[in-house]
mmCIF file of all heavy atoms in Angstrom:
data_model
loop_
_atom_site.group_PDB
_atom_site.id
_atom_site.type_symbol
_atom_site.label_atom_id
_atom_site.label_comp_id
_atom_site.label_asym_id
_atom_site.label_seq_id
_atom_site.Cartn_x
_atom_site.Cartn_y
_atom_site.Cartn_z
ATOM 1 N N SER G 1 -30.592 -16.557 -7.763
ATOM 2 C CA SER G 1 -31.508 -15.417 -8.007
ATOM 3 C C SER G 1 -30.722 -14.091 -7.609
ATOM 4 O O SER G 1 -29.832 -14.102 -6.838
ATOM 5 C CB SER G 1 -32.768 -15.524 -7.064
ATOM 6 O OG SER G 1 -32.469 -15.361 -5.694
ATOM 7 N N PRO G 2 -31.249 -12.896 -8.095
ATOM 8 C CA PRO G 2 -30.743 -11.729 -7.730
ATOM 9 C C PRO G 2 -30.891 -11.479 -6.211
ATOM 10 O O PRO G 2 -29.978 -10.864 -5.659
ATOM 11 C CB PRO G 2 -31.651 -10.676 -8.525
ATOM 12 C CG PRO G 2 -32.130 -11.374 -9.630
ATOM 13 C CD PRO G 2 -32.300 -12.861 -9.162
ATOM 14 N N GLU G 3 -31.842 -11.997 -5.642
ATOM 15 C CA GLU G 3 -32.110 -11.777 -4.240
ATOM 16 C C GLU G 3 -30.923 -12.504 -3.373
ATOM 17 O O GLU G 3 -30.405 -11.983 -2.414
ATOM 18 C CB GLU G 3 -33.380 -12.400 -3.687
ATOM 19 C CG GLU G 3 -34.570 -11.517 -4.273
ATOM 20 C CD GLU G 3 -34.922 -11.837 -5.715
ATOM 21 O OE1 GLU G 3 -34.518 -12.933 -6.193
ATOM 22 O OE2 GLU G 3 -35.722 -11.029 -6.320
ATOM 23 N N ASP G 4 -30.551 -13.651 -3.926
ATOM 24 C CA ASP G 4 -29.398 -14.466 -3.260
ATOM 25 C C ASP G 4 -28.137 -13.601 -3.405
ATOM 26 O O ASP G 4 -27.348 -13.590 -2.487
ATOM 27 C CB ASP G 4 -29.187 -15.763 -3.946
ATOM 28 C CG ASP G 4 -30.314 -16.775 -3.568
ATOM 29 O OD1 ASP G 4 -31.140 -16.452 -2.658
ATOM 30 O OD2 ASP G 4 -30.420 -17.784 -4.239
ATOM 31 N N ALA G 5 -27.907 -13.002 -4.513
ATOM 32 C CA ALA G 5 -26.767 -12.239 -4.716
ATOM 33 C C ALA G 5 -26.738 -10.996 -3.843
ATOM 34 O O ALA G 5 -25.698 -10.720 -3.241
ATOM 35 C CB ALA G 5 -26.734 -11.731 -6.281
ATOM 36 N N VAL G 6 -27.814 -10.329 -3.685
ATOM 37 C CA VAL G 6 -27.914 -9.147 -2.873
ATOM 38 C C VAL G 6 -27.649 -9.549 -1.418
ATOM 39 O O VAL G 6 -26.834 -8.958 -0.663
ATOM 40 C CB VAL G 6 -29.226 -8.435 -3.000
ATOM 41 C CG1 VAL G 6 -29.428 -7.332 -1.906
ATOM 42 C CG2 VAL G 6 -29.320 -7.835 -4.330
ATOM 43 N N ALA G 7 -28.221 -10.692 -1.024
ATOM 44 C CA ALA G 7 -28.050 -11.130 0.377
ATOM 45 C C ALA G 7 -26.598 -11.479 0.616
ATOM 46 O O ALA G 7 -26.054 -11.193 1.756
ATOM 47 C CB ALA G 7 -28.927 -12.364 0.655
ATOM 48 N N ALA G 8 -25.875 -12.123 -0.304
ATOM 49 C CA ALA G 8 -24.541 -12.490 -0.098
ATOM 50 C C ALA G 8 -23.669 -11.198 0.045
ATOM 51 O O ALA G 8 -22.760 -11.147 0.879
ATOM 52 C CB ALA G 8 -24.006 -13.391 -1.295
ATOM 53 N N VAL G 9 -23.858 -10.242 -0.806
ATOM 54 C CA VAL G 9 -23.105 -8.996 -0.780
ATOM 55 C C VAL G 9 -23.355 -8.257 0.481
ATOM 56 O O VAL G 9 -22.352 -7.691 1.122
ATOM 57 C CB VAL G 9 -23.303 -8.196 -1.975
ATOM 58 C CG1 VAL G 9 -22.709 -6.860 -1.818
ATOM 59 C CG2 VAL G 9 -22.862 -8.834 -3.297
ATOM 60 N N LYS G 10 -24.611 -8.201 0.991
ATOM 61 C CA LYS G 10 -24.887 -7.551 2.331
ATOM 62 C C LYS G 10 -24.138 -8.136 3.436
ATOM 63 O O LYS G 10 -23.868 -7.407 4.469
ATOM 64 C CB LYS G 10 -26.371 -7.568 2.474
ATOM 65 C CG LYS G 10 -27.146 -6.601 1.683
ATOM 66 C CD LYS G 10 -28.584 -6.493 1.970
ATOM 67 C CE LYS G 10 -29.268 -5.467 1.217
ATOM 68 N NZ LYS G 10 -30.782 -5.361 1.576
ATOM 69 N N THR G 11 -23.860 -9.406 3.360
ATOM 70 C CA THR G 11 -23.191 -10.093 4.473
ATOM 71 C C THR G 11 -21.650 -9.912 4.519
ATOM 72 O O THR G 11 -20.970 -10.215 5.381
ATOM 73 C CB THR G 11 -23.527 -11.573 4.618
ATOM 74 O OG1 THR G 11 -22.898 -12.176 3.428
ATOM 75 C CG2 THR G 11 -24.973 -11.825 4.741
ATOM 76 N N MET G 12 -21.180 -9.389 3.273
ATOM 77 C CA MET G 12 -19.696 -9.194 3.239
ATOM 78 C C MET G 12 -19.245 -7.966 4.047
ATOM 79 O O MET G 12 -19.950 -6.980 4.159
ATOM 80 C CB MET G 12 -19.373 -8.741 1.785
ATOM 81 C CG MET G 12 -19.490 -9.954 0.769
ATOM 82 S SD MET G 12 -19.049 -9.225 -0.916
ATOM 83 C CE MET G 12 -17.285 -9.085 -0.810
ATOM 84 N N PRO G 13 -17.997 -8.121 4.662
ATOM 85 C CA PRO G 13 -17.423 -6.992 5.217
ATOM 86 C C PRO G 13 -17.212 -5.861 4.142
ATOM 87 O O PRO G 13 -16.834 -6.260 2.975
ATOM 88 C CB PRO G 13 -16.085 -7.420 5.818
ATOM 89 C CG PRO G 13 -16.281 -8.896 5.765
ATOM 90 C CD PRO G 13 -17.200 -9.308 4.798
ATOM 91 N N GLN G 14 -17.389 -4.666 4.522
ATOM 92 C CA GLN G 14 -17.237 -3.570 3.509
ATOM 93 C C GLN G 14 -15.872 -3.564 2.856
ATOM 94 O O GLN G 14 -15.780 -3.350 1.622
ATOM 95 C CB GLN G 14 -17.469 -2.226 4.283
ATOM 96 C CG GLN G 14 -17.438 -0.998 3.292
ATOM 97 C CD GLN G 14 -18.696 -0.965 2.345
ATOM 98 O OE1 GLN G 14 -19.814 -1.465 2.684
ATOM 99 N NE2 GLN G 14 -18.362 -0.596 1.093
ATOM 100 N N TYR G 15 -14.837 -3.815 3.635
ATOM 101 C CA TYR G 15 -13.496 -3.824 3.021
ATOM 102 C C TYR G 15 -13.160 -4.896 2.013
ATOM 103 O O TYR G 15 -12.217 -4.748 1.245
ATOM 104 C CB TYR G 15 -12.419 -3.868 4.109
ATOM 105 C CG TYR G 15 -12.275 -5.260 4.905
ATOM 106 C CD1 TYR G 15 -11.419 -6.205 4.361
ATOM 107 C CD2 TYR G 15 -13.065 -5.481 6.064
ATOM 108 C CE1 TYR G 15 -11.282 -7.429 4.977
ATOM 109 C CE2 TYR G 15 -12.959 -6.727 6.659
ATOM 110 C CZ TYR G 15 -12.124 -7.658 6.117
ATOM 111 O OH TYR G 15 -12.122 -8.976 6.696
ATOM 112 N N GLU G 16 -13.981 -5.979 2.022
ATOM 113 C CA GLU G 16 -13.781 -6.996 0.992
ATOM 114 C C GLU G 16 -14.598 -6.772 -0.279
ATOM 115 O O GLU G 16 -14.411 -7.471 -1.241
ATOM 116 C CB GLU G 16 -14.303 -8.359 1.562
ATOM 117 C CG GLU G 16 -13.209 -8.906 2.602
ATOM 118 C CD GLU G 16 -13.516 -10.341 3.052
ATOM 119 O OE1 GLU G 16 -14.587 -10.852 2.549
ATOM 120 O OE2 GLU G 16 -12.846 -10.762 3.981
ATOM 121 N N ARG G 17 -15.418 -5.772 -0.242
ATOM 122 C CA ARG G 17 -16.250 -5.553 -1.419
ATOM 123 C C ARG G 17 -15.472 -4.787 -2.547
ATOM 124 O O ARG G 17 -14.530 -4.025 -2.317
ATOM 125 C CB ARG G 17 -17.371 -4.593 -1.098
ATOM 126 C CG ARG G 17 -18.264 -5.221 -0.191
ATOM 127 C CD ARG G 17 -19.509 -4.334 0.140
ATOM 128 N NE ARG G 17 -20.353 -4.970 1.198
ATOM 129 C CZ ARG G 17 -21.411 -4.509 1.709
ATOM 130 N NH1 ARG G 17 -21.869 -3.372 1.253
ATOM 131 N NH2 ARG G 17 -22.169 -5.150 2.463
ATOM 132 N N LEU G 18 -15.741 -5.147 -3.744
ATOM 133 C CA LEU G 18 -14.947 -4.676 -4.903
ATOM 134 C C LEU G 18 -15.090 -3.207 -5.118
ATOM 135 O O LEU G 18 -14.244 -2.622 -5.785
ATOM 136 C CB LEU G 18 -15.270 -5.489 -6.201
ATOM 137 C CG LEU G 18 -15.232 -7.036 -6.111
ATOM 138 C CD1 LEU G 18 -15.582 -7.645 -7.452
ATOM 139 C CD2 LEU G 18 -13.749 -7.346 -5.712
ATOM 140 N N ASN G 19 -16.244 -2.688 -4.657
ATOM 141 C CA ASN G 19 -16.398 -1.166 -4.714
ATOM 142 C C ASN G 19 -15.964 -0.450 -3.458
ATOM 143 O O ASN G 19 -16.187 0.725 -3.413
ATOM 144 C CB ASN G 19 -17.871 -0.886 -5.056
ATOM 145 C CG ASN G 19 -18.791 -1.347 -3.942
ATOM 146 O OD1 ASN G 19 -18.408 -2.112 -3.059
ATOM 147 N ND2 ASN G 19 -20.079 -0.930 -4.054
ATOM 148 N N SER G 20 -15.112 -1.029 -2.736
ATOM 149 C CA SER G 20 -14.635 -0.413 -1.485
ATOM 150 C C SER G 20 -13.604 0.622 -1.950
ATOM 151 O O SER G 20 -12.832 0.517 -2.907
ATOM 152 C CB SER G 20 -13.916 -1.440 -0.510
ATOM 153 O OG SER G 20 -13.166 -0.779 0.379
ATOM 154 N N PRO G 21 -13.621 1.898 -1.397
ATOM 155 C CA PRO G 21 -12.798 2.961 -1.832
ATOM 156 C C PRO G 21 -11.276 2.691 -1.705
ATOM 157 O O PRO G 21 -10.453 3.085 -2.517
ATOM 158 C CB PRO G 21 -13.104 4.137 -0.830
ATOM 159 C CG PRO G 21 -14.355 3.787 -0.105
ATOM 160 C CD PRO G 21 -14.504 2.254 -0.253
ATOM 161 N N ASP G 22 -10.929 1.649 -0.822
ATOM 162 C CA ASP G 22 -9.456 1.395 -0.661
ATOM 163 C C ASP G 22 -9.089 -0.057 -1.308
ATOM 164 O O ASP G 22 -8.016 -0.473 -0.998
ATOM 165 C CB ASP G 22 -9.085 1.463 0.805
ATOM 166 C CG ASP G 22 -9.739 0.305 1.578
ATOM 167 O OD1 ASP G 22 -10.745 -0.178 1.205
ATOM 168 O OD2 ASP G 22 -9.129 -0.015 2.691
ATOM 169 N N PHE G 23 -10.014 -0.419 -2.106
ATOM 170 C CA PHE G 23 -9.776 -1.816 -2.786
ATOM 171 C C PHE G 23 -8.392 -1.879 -3.600
ATOM 172 O O PHE G 23 -7.523 -2.690 -3.296
ATOM 173 C CB PHE G 23 -10.960 -2.163 -3.731
ATOM 174 C CG PHE G 23 -10.779 -3.523 -4.385
ATOM 175 C CD1 PHE G 23 -11.081 -4.592 -3.711
ATOM 176 C CD2 PHE G 23 -10.204 -3.646 -5.651
ATOM 177 C CE1 PHE G 23 -11.004 -5.849 -4.226
ATOM 178 C CE2 PHE G 23 -10.003 -4.900 -6.207
ATOM 179 C CZ PHE G 23 -10.485 -5.986 -5.520
ATOM 180 N N VAL G 24 -8.116 -0.923 -4.392
ATOM 181 C CA VAL G 24 -6.896 -0.993 -5.191
ATOM 182 C C VAL G 24 -5.659 -0.718 -4.268
ATOM 183 O O VAL G 24 -4.601 -1.402 -4.463
ATOM 184 C CB VAL G 24 -7.002 0.181 -6.292
ATOM 185 C CG1 VAL G 24 -5.719 0.211 -7.025
ATOM 186 C CG2 VAL G 24 -8.014 -0.274 -7.310
ATOM 187 N N ASP G 25 -5.869 0.196 -3.344
ATOM 188 C CA ASP G 25 -4.681 0.529 -2.440
ATOM 189 C C ASP G 25 -4.417 -0.752 -1.633
ATOM 190 O O ASP G 25 -3.237 -1.130 -1.446
ATOM 191 C CB ASP G 25 -5.019 1.617 -1.468
ATOM 192 C CG ASP G 25 -3.867 2.100 -0.653
ATOM 193 O OD1 ASP G 25 -2.840 2.189 -1.153
ATOM 194 O OD2 ASP G 25 -4.144 2.326 0.587
ATOM 195 N N HIS G 26 -5.414 -1.498 -1.196
ATOM 196 C CA HIS G 26 -5.232 -2.725 -0.326
ATOM 197 C C HIS G 26 -4.426 -3.753 -1.246
ATOM 198 O O HIS G 26 -3.601 -4.385 -0.786
ATOM 199 C CB HIS G 26 -6.538 -3.275 0.101
ATOM 200 C CG HIS G 26 -6.260 -4.567 0.794
ATOM 201 N ND1 HIS G 26 -6.264 -5.799 0.181
ATOM 202 C CD2 HIS G 26 -6.062 -4.823 2.101
ATOM 203 C CE1 HIS G 26 -6.035 -6.740 1.034
ATOM 204 N NE2 HIS G 26 -5.995 -6.250 2.228
ATOM 205 N N TYR G 27 -4.946 -3.783 -2.448
ATOM 206 C CA TYR G 27 -4.290 -4.804 -3.404
ATOM 207 C C TYR G 27 -2.785 -4.462 -3.618
ATOM 208 O O TYR G 27 -1.911 -5.317 -3.469
ATOM 209 C CB TYR G 27 -5.024 -4.820 -4.853
ATOM 210 C CG TYR G 27 -4.232 -5.675 -5.752
ATOM 211 C CD1 TYR G 27 -4.144 -6.985 -5.725
ATOM 212 C CD2 TYR G 27 -3.589 -5.013 -6.784
ATOM 213 C CE1 TYR G 27 -3.523 -7.847 -6.641
ATOM 214 C CE2 TYR G 27 -2.886 -5.769 -7.816
ATOM 215 C CZ TYR G 27 -2.752 -7.238 -7.688
ATOM 216 O OH TYR G 27 -2.088 -7.982 -8.560
ATOM 217 N N ARG G 28 -2.459 -3.275 -3.829
ATOM 218 C CA ARG G 28 -1.107 -2.775 -4.009
ATOM 219 C C ARG G 28 -0.237 -3.102 -2.787
ATOM 220 O O ARG G 28 0.926 -3.602 -2.778
ATOM 221 C CB ARG G 28 -1.070 -1.310 -4.280
ATOM 222 C CG ARG G 28 -1.505 -1.056 -5.771
ATOM 223 C CD ARG G 28 -1.360 0.429 -6.074
ATOM 224 N NE ARG G 28 -1.851 0.688 -7.504
ATOM 225 C CZ ARG G 28 -2.590 1.705 -7.870
ATOM 226 N NH1 ARG G 28 -2.802 2.712 -7.004
ATOM 227 N NH2 ARG G 28 -2.891 1.823 -9.043
ATOM 228 N N LYS G 29 -0.877 -2.828 -1.599
ATOM 229 C CA LYS G 29 -0.064 -3.141 -0.303
ATOM 230 C C LYS G 29 0.017 -4.626 -0.194
ATOM 231 O O LYS G 29 1.236 -5.102 0.314
ATOM 232 C CB LYS G 29 -0.950 -2.500 0.874
ATOM 233 C CG LYS G 29 -0.752 -0.886 1.059
ATOM 234 C CD LYS G 29 -1.598 -0.472 2.087
ATOM 235 C CE LYS G 29 -1.581 1.011 2.187
ATOM 236 N NZ LYS G 29 -2.408 1.509 3.217
ATOM 237 N N ALA G 30 -0.892 -5.361 -0.534
ATOM 238 C CA ALA G 30 -0.759 -6.810 -0.325
ATOM 239 C C ALA G 30 0.289 -7.375 -1.424
ATOM 240 O O ALA G 30 1.041 -8.197 -0.888
ATOM 241 C CB ALA G 30 -2.101 -7.540 -0.679
ATOM 242 N N VAL G 31 0.321 -6.934 -2.433
ATOM 243 C CA VAL G 31 1.375 -7.253 -3.487
ATOM 244 C C VAL G 31 2.703 -6.922 -2.970
ATOM 245 O O VAL G 31 3.715 -7.694 -2.976
ATOM 246 C CB VAL G 31 1.179 -6.646 -4.819
ATOM 247 C CG1 VAL G 31 2.407 -6.873 -5.752
ATOM 248 C CG2 VAL G 31 -0.077 -7.308 -5.487
ATOM 249 N N ALA G 32 2.900 -5.648 -2.391
ATOM 250 C CA ALA G 32 4.181 -5.205 -1.835
ATOM 251 C C ALA G 32 4.615 -6.108 -0.719
ATOM 252 O O ALA G 32 5.726 -6.516 -0.616
ATOM 253 C CB ALA G 32 4.104 -3.653 -1.462
ATOM 254 N N ALA G 33 3.635 -6.438 0.214
ATOM 255 C CA ALA G 33 4.002 -7.329 1.324
ATOM 256 C C ALA G 33 4.395 -8.703 0.947
ATOM 257 O O ALA G 33 5.314 -9.304 1.451
ATOM 258 C CB ALA G 33 2.753 -7.428 2.289
ATOM 259 N N TYR G 34 3.728 -9.233 -0.037
ATOM 260 C CA TYR G 34 4.125 -10.543 -0.620
ATOM 261 C C TYR G 34 5.553 -10.451 -1.258
ATOM 262 O O TYR G 34 6.364 -11.350 -1.013
ATOM 263 C CB TYR G 34 3.079 -11.017 -1.677
ATOM 264 C CG TYR G 34 3.448 -12.270 -2.318
ATOM 265 C CD1 TYR G 34 3.253 -13.507 -1.648
ATOM 266 C CD2 TYR G 34 4.005 -12.357 -3.560
ATOM 267 C CE1 TYR G 34 3.762 -14.725 -2.144
ATOM 268 C CE2 TYR G 34 4.322 -13.508 -4.157
ATOM 269 C CZ TYR G 34 4.118 -14.776 -3.396
ATOM 270 O OH TYR G 34 4.601 -15.949 -3.967
ATOM 271 N N GLN G 35 5.785 -9.465 -1.946
ATOM 272 C CA GLN G 35 7.155 -9.254 -2.590
ATOM 273 C C GLN G 35 8.223 -9.154 -1.520
ATOM 274 O O GLN G 35 9.297 -9.690 -1.609
ATOM 275 C CB GLN G 35 7.194 -8.086 -3.577
ATOM 276 C CG GLN G 35 6.347 -8.325 -4.831
ATOM 277 C CD GLN G 35 6.231 -7.225 -5.630
ATOM 278 O OE1 GLN G 35 6.396 -5.977 -5.355
ATOM 279 N NE2 GLN G 35 5.878 -7.368 -6.984
ATOM 280 N N ASP G 36 7.909 -8.387 -0.436
ATOM 281 C CA ASP G 36 8.826 -8.329 0.726
ATOM 282 C C ASP G 36 9.125 -9.704 1.357
ATOM 283 O O ASP G 36 10.244 -9.903 1.640
ATOM 284 C CB ASP G 36 8.255 -7.349 1.750
ATOM 285 C CG ASP G 36 8.256 -5.891 1.277
ATOM 286 O OD1 ASP G 36 9.017 -5.577 0.263
ATOM 287 O OD2 ASP G 36 7.653 -5.098 1.911
ATOM 288 N N GLN G 37 8.004 -10.535 1.456
ATOM 289 C CA GLN G 37 8.198 -11.779 1.984
ATOM 290 C C GLN G 37 9.144 -12.675 1.164
ATOM 291 O O GLN G 37 10.048 -13.472 1.621
ATOM 292 C CB GLN G 37 6.838 -12.587 2.134
ATOM 293 C CG GLN G 37 5.952 -12.064 3.191
ATOM 294 C CD GLN G 37 4.637 -12.741 3.141
ATOM 295 O OE1 GLN G 37 4.238 -13.322 2.212
ATOM 296 N NE2 GLN G 37 3.885 -12.696 4.337
ATOM 297 N N LEU G 38 8.862 -12.570 -0.203
ATOM 298 C CA LEU G 38 9.759 -13.338 -1.119
ATOM 299 C C LEU G 38 11.302 -12.836 -1.052
ATOM 300 O O LEU G 38 12.104 -13.759 -1.007
ATOM 301 C CB LEU G 38 9.272 -13.188 -2.605
ATOM 302 C CG LEU G 38 7.989 -13.825 -2.962
ATOM 303 C CD1 LEU G 38 7.643 -13.583 -4.467
ATOM 304 C CD2 LEU G 38 8.008 -15.315 -2.682
ATOM 305 N N ALA G 39 11.448 -11.567 -0.894
ATOM 306 C CA ALA G 39 12.772 -11.142 -0.871
ATOM 307 C C ALA G 39 13.444 -11.493 0.500
ATOM 308 O O ALA G 39 14.698 -11.902 0.580
ATOM 309 C CB ALA G 39 12.807 -9.564 -0.842
ATOM 310 N N ALA G 40 12.722 -11.467 1.505
ATOM 311 C CA ALA G 40 13.207 -12.029 2.870
ATOM 312 C C ALA G 40 13.547 -13.476 2.768
ATOM 313 O O ALA G 40 14.667 -13.777 3.286
ATOM 314 C CB ALA G 40 12.224 -11.759 4.003
ATOM 315 N N LYS G 41 12.783 -14.299 2.138
ATOM 316 C CA LYS G 41 13.130 -15.722 2.000
ATOM 317 C C LYS G 41 14.355 -15.874 1.163
ATOM 318 O O LYS G 41 15.192 -16.720 1.432
ATOM 319 C CB LYS G 41 11.931 -16.419 1.347
ATOM 320 C CG LYS G 41 10.771 -16.758 2.245
ATOM 321 C CD LYS G 41 9.697 -17.593 1.325
ATOM 322 C CE LYS G 41 8.492 -17.854 2.227
ATOM 323 N NZ LYS G 41 7.586 -18.598 1.447
ATOM 324 N N ARG G 42 14.462 -15.132 0.136
ATOM 325 C CA ARG G 42 15.591 -15.196 -0.783
ATOM 326 C C ARG G 42 16.816 -14.728 0.049
ATOM 327 O O ARG G 42 17.927 -15.545 -0.068
ATOM 328 C CB ARG G 42 15.426 -14.323 -2.004
ATOM 329 C CG ARG G 42 16.403 -14.461 -3.101
ATOM 330 C CD ARG G 42 16.023 -13.677 -4.378
ATOM 331 N NE ARG G 42 15.316 -12.438 -4.211
ATOM 332 C CZ ARG G 42 14.016 -12.305 -4.480
ATOM 333 N NH1 ARG G 42 13.242 -13.300 -4.888
ATOM 334 N NH2 ARG G 42 13.395 -11.109 -4.363
ATOM 335 N N ARG G 43 16.824 -13.777 0.836
ATOM 336 C CA ARG G 43 17.955 -13.343 1.629
ATOM 337 C C ARG G 43 18.274 -14.460 2.689
ATOM 338 O O ARG G 43 19.530 -14.771 2.899
ATOM 339 C CB ARG G 43 17.692 -12.071 2.374
ATOM 340 C CG ARG G 43 17.789 -10.827 1.480
ATOM 341 C CD ARG G 43 17.673 -9.492 2.305
ATOM 342 N NE ARG G 43 16.590 -9.324 3.010
ATOM 343 C CZ ARG G 43 15.418 -8.846 2.727
ATOM 344 N NH1 ARG G 43 15.264 -8.317 1.449
ATOM 345 N NH2 ARG G 43 14.400 -8.674 3.390
ATOM 346 N N ARG G 44 17.272 -15.029 3.304
ATOM 347 C CA ARG G 44 17.673 -16.107 4.308
ATOM 348 C C ARG G 44 18.297 -17.304 3.564
ATOM 349 O O ARG G 44 19.280 -17.933 4.132
ATOM 350 C CB ARG G 44 16.402 -16.600 4.931
ATOM 351 C CG ARG G 44 15.797 -15.693 5.999
ATOM 352 C CD ARG G 44 14.781 -16.153 6.861
ATOM 353 N NE ARG G 44 13.668 -16.567 6.085
ATOM 354 C CZ ARG G 44 12.548 -15.839 5.957
ATOM 355 N NH1 ARG G 44 12.539 -14.581 6.421
ATOM 356 N NH2 ARG G 44 11.536 -16.203 5.212
ATOM 357 N N ARG G 45 17.830 -17.631 2.318
ATOM 358 C CA ARG G 45 18.454 -18.836 1.633
ATOM 359 C C ARG G 45 19.830 -18.444 1.360
ATOM 360 O O ARG G 45 20.852 -19.267 1.366
ATOM 361 C CB ARG G 45 17.644 -19.046 0.404
ATOM 362 C CG ARG G 45 16.421 -19.978 0.609
ATOM 363 C CD ARG G 45 15.830 -20.529 -0.624
ATOM 364 N NE ARG G 45 15.597 -19.475 -1.718
ATOM 365 C CZ ARG G 45 14.406 -18.923 -1.831
ATOM 366 N NH1 ARG G 45 13.444 -19.219 -1.061
ATOM 367 N NH2 ARG G 45 14.258 -17.980 -2.845
#
């Protein structure tokens, strides 16, 4: 139901919401951190 959806979103931390102002910035930072991890693993190998 729509009520279930609203209740689920209300319990979410603000930073995890898709309409969070820093959503895209967080994604870009997460991708960069992941790429850094891959590069570090490659260097270790």
Side-chain angles (χ1 to χ4, degrees):
S1 69
E3 294 80 17
D4 290 346
V6 169
V9 172
K10 282 185 177 181
T11 64
M12 291 178 71
Q14 186 67 35
Y15 69 90
E16 288 186 2
R17 295 181 185 183
L18 303 181
N19 61 347
S20 172
D22 66 339
F23 181 82
V24 173
D25 189 47
H26 177 274
Y27 172 68
R28 288 181 180 145
K29 287 178 182 177
V31 169
Y34 178 74
Q35 290 171 342
D36 289 347
Q37 287 175 342
L38 289 180
K41 280 183 184 180
R42 193 170 30 255
R43 283 191 301 273
R44 285 193 298 272
R45 281 194 306 268

